[in-house]
Amino acid sequence: DGAHGSSSATEAAAGQRTPIWCGRALEARARLEPPSGYARDRRDKIFSRTVPQLDHFCRSWLASAPPQLVALNAARLHSPAPLVLAYGSATSLLGSSASDIDLTVLLELPPELQRRLLSDIADAFGSVPGVTATAVLAARVPICTMTFPSDLSSPAGAPLVLTSDLVVDVSVGNVIALDNTRLIRTYMEVDECAWQLCLLVKAWARARRVCSARHCFPSSYAWSLLAICHLQHLGQLPNLQGLAPPWQLEQALVANTARTPDGRAVSYSFCGNAAAARKFWKAAPFPAPRLPLLLTNFFDTALQLLSDRSPAGLALAACVSAGGLQPLSSRPCFDPRAAQHFAIEDPLEPTRDLGGMVTASTLAILRTELCRARDLLREAVATRSLPEARRWIERLLAAAGGEAGSGEAIGTAIAAAAATAANSGTGGEAASEVAGGAGGREGGGEGGELVTKMGALLVGASRADVEEALTHGGTVHVDGDTVVASGPPTVSR
């Protein structure tokens, strides 16, 4: 960013263009058409088939349950509202057409009957030809995992064109997950820079294989919370859980008391409406940093969390519910008996540390990856050469342990995420910025074009300039304050 001097003055002289990386919503957004509708269509078709079938099965199942359980759930059974709802990335604006689908059945059941229902769901759906279903009952949140294969046919016999198998995870009574999803989605809608940053961070974490609680790394949910916390720390996002007194929020207030998977009751409240949040929130008096700098600083913030608990009093925790980084020892998630190496507090279950699974060995890997990403981005932001910036982006999102060109799958996944968001009306403006992972070292194919766009944006061009330049030729470079295509016209920034 700093390599270009006063870029805002240059942009003003070139026609009052809004910087693409500023993270603020643009009045006119260029939409990125999806490379293929197949992946999105298969999700929609499977979702539209599975949810009603699952809803009907659970209602029938409960009808044969003990009378006291039927009475306990009578209001839900007789309500026209759906019994099965989606949560997670499928509804938080952070998913892609390749993401899993998370569903929960809104029935109030004791733990043993929850597990029995999930086992029965697995038996019923597992009998469908081509579908595999397994009840995972020992997990913190018991689920039934259903996998729909790529060659599945519709009831009418027409094949569903699937790019890969689709996984649907079903839980029971997971109300906290529904509210967590609404909290995350509201943050994404308050300011577009949150959506951009979270998508980039998740893409990086998956590409570098540091996004798996099962392998002792933070989950994608934890990485999203850390990105939100970073923006709060900079004054670029509000604290939705401390925005205004509940009586002022009125219809925007989400207040609930729910049970955790281990049976504890937790109470929480937050502003669940982005328009209301913007009304009550007093934003920082200075503009948001451009996205390259914002992402670079994110990795600095993440490095501050790394701790070997020596000394313990200096350890920090990422606390979205408190609006930024806080001393770990002062937070409900602090556990003096545990080695908390990367503390991220769950905003609705404050005693839960979402980074508690990080071990001493994975801590070392996290430190290496965070430093690598920060240093690569510093080089990318400083460069004035598009091909050079493009190489930095490819390296940033290259798959861990992969070879040249291994970023192609990542680039496709990110493109799908951006295209899905664009078509759902959530801000296609960020699509090309998000697409960083690549189409190989030669830059061929769709992934390569997306990396070219991101590289040009890193060196200071506006989105309109990049789109026009790419339309007139396969090469783009920066010459002073001008983006030059391989053929006419030359586009002033």
Side-chain angles (χ1 to χ4, degrees):
D1 237 356
H4 304 289
S6 178
S7 59
S8 59
T10 306
E11 286 157 357
Q16 302 293 327
R17 289 208 174 115
T18 306
I20 195 69
W21 290 103
C22 68
R24 301 296 180 187
L26 302 182
E27 293 181 1
R29 295 173 174 175
R31 295 301 178 93
L32 178 68
E33 291 300 321
S36 168
Y38 291 149
R40 189 180 68 257
D41 289 347
R42 64 91 186 250
R43 276 174 57 89
D44 293 345
K45 289 179 180 178
I46 291 178
F47 186 83
S48 62
R49 274 178 44 189
T50 304
V51 170
Q53 291 173 355
L54 186 59
D55 188 291
H56 176 75
F57 176 85
C58 292
R59 291 176 187 274
S60 302
W61 184 91
L62 189 63
S64 60
Q68 61 269 27
L69 289 179
V70 176
L72 185 63
N73 293 278
R76 291 198 182 277
L77 289 175
H78 296 99
S79 169
L83 199 61
V84 179
L85 295 178
Y87 66 92
S89 60
T91 55
S92 68
L93 307 184
L94 292 176
S96 73
S97 55
S99 298
D100 297 348
I101 296 176
D102 297 306
L103 304 174
T104 193
V105 182
L106 289 180
L107 290 178
E108 189 172 345
L109 300 174
E112 62 274 13
L113 285 183
Q114 288 185 18
R115 289 190 285 270
R116 185 188 301 176
L117 173 57
L118 291 171
S119 295
D120 292 345
I121 290 173
D123 292 340
F125 281 80
S127 64
V128 177
V131 177
T132 60
T134 305
V136 184
L137 305 180
R140 178 181 179 270
V141 178
I143 60 171
C144 170
T145 296
M146 298 184 287
T147 303
F148 294 83
S150 56
D151 57 353
L152 187 69
S153 297
S154 68
L160 297 179
V161 184
L162 309 181
T163 57
S164 62
D165 293 349
L166 176 66
V167 177
V168 177
D169 292 333
V170 183
S171 60
V172 178
N174 202 353
V175 176
I176 293 180
L178 293 173
D179 289 336
N180 261 326
T181 300
R182 182 168 180 181
L183 178 66
I184 295 293
R185 181 180 180 117
T186 305
Y187 275 116
M188 298 303 100
E189 293 175 334
V190 167
D191 197 310
E192 195 175 33
C193 68
W195 181 65
Q196 294 172 335
L197 183 64
C198 285
L199 281 176
L200 281 170
V201 168
K202 288 179 64 173
W204 164 82
R206 287 179 177 140
R208 301 305 299 172
R209 300 179 187 174
V210 291
C211 181
S212 171
R214 186 162 58 98
H215 295 101
C216 299
F217 290 108
S219 65
S220 62
Y221 171 56
W223 284 115
S224 298
L225 288 175
L226 182 53
I228 292 170
C229 187
H230 171 61
L231 292 172
Q232 290 176 326
H233 185 65
L234 296 177
Q236 301 301 326
L237 273 185
N239 175 8
L240 295 179
Q241 292 171 267
L243 191 61
W247 60 270
Q248 288 186 343
L249 294 176
E250 299 178 342
Q251 298 300 317
L253 177 67
V254 177
N256 205 352
T257 297
R259 291 203 172 273
T260 63
D262 57 6
R264 293 178 296 107
V266 292
S267 298
Y268 47 81
S269 64
F270 60 89
C271 176
N273 181 276
R278 287 190 290 268
K279 174 184 175 182
F280 288 102
W281 172 46
K282 186 176 181 180
F286 46 84
R290 291 188 175 186
L291 193 56
L293 187 59
L294 202 61
L295 185 60
T296 305
N297 291 340
F298 164 81
F299 292 112
D300 280 323
T301 297
L303 282 166
Q304 293 183 51
L305 288 188
L306 295 180
S307 171
D308 55 7
R309 297 293 300 279
S310 176
L314 298 180
L316 297 174
C319 306
V320 168
S321 62
L325 303 182
Q326 299 291 322
L328 174 60
S329 58
S330 69
R331 302 304 303 172
C333 67
F334 175 61
D335 185 353
R337 301 164 299 176
Q340 293 173 276
H341 298 297
F342 199 63
I344 303 174
E345 184 179 285
D346 190 308
L348 302 190
E349 293 183 65
T351 59
R352 183 185 177 201
D353 177 11
L354 296 169
M357 78 294 294
V358 175
T359 65
S361 59
T362 54
L363 173 69
I365 297 173
L366 271 178
R367 180 177 281 111
T368 299
E369 289 294 338
L370 290 168
C371 289
R372 172 187 179 275
R374 178 198 59 191
D375 295 343
L376 284 173
L377 274 167
R378 284 176 177 173
E379 295 288 347
V381 170
T383 185
R384 294 179 66 85
S385 164
L386 177 64
E388 184 179 348
R390 188 177 186 278
R391 285 193 291 271
W392 289 119
I393 299 307
E394 288 180 344
R395 290 182 61 190
L396 175 69
L397 293 179
E403 300 176 353
S406 62
E408 183 172 0
I410 304 163
T412 301
I414 301 170
T420 300
N423 281 273
S424 62
T426 61
E429 194 264 84
S432 62
E433 295 100 85
V434 170
R441 190 173 296 275
E442 296 303 319
E446 192 166 317
E449 179 178 312
L450 291 166
V451 173
T452 301
K453 292 180 182 180
M454 185 172 181
L457 292 165
L458 276 173
V459 296
S462 73
R463 182 197 186 99
D465 295 343
V466 175
E467 296 287 354
E468 185 169 352
L470 286 172
T471 299
H472 290 88
T475 61
V476 185
H477 68 276
V478 175
D479 180 13
D481 287 328
T482 303
V483 178
V484 183
S486 59
T490 294
V491 187
S492 297
R493 175 155 57 88

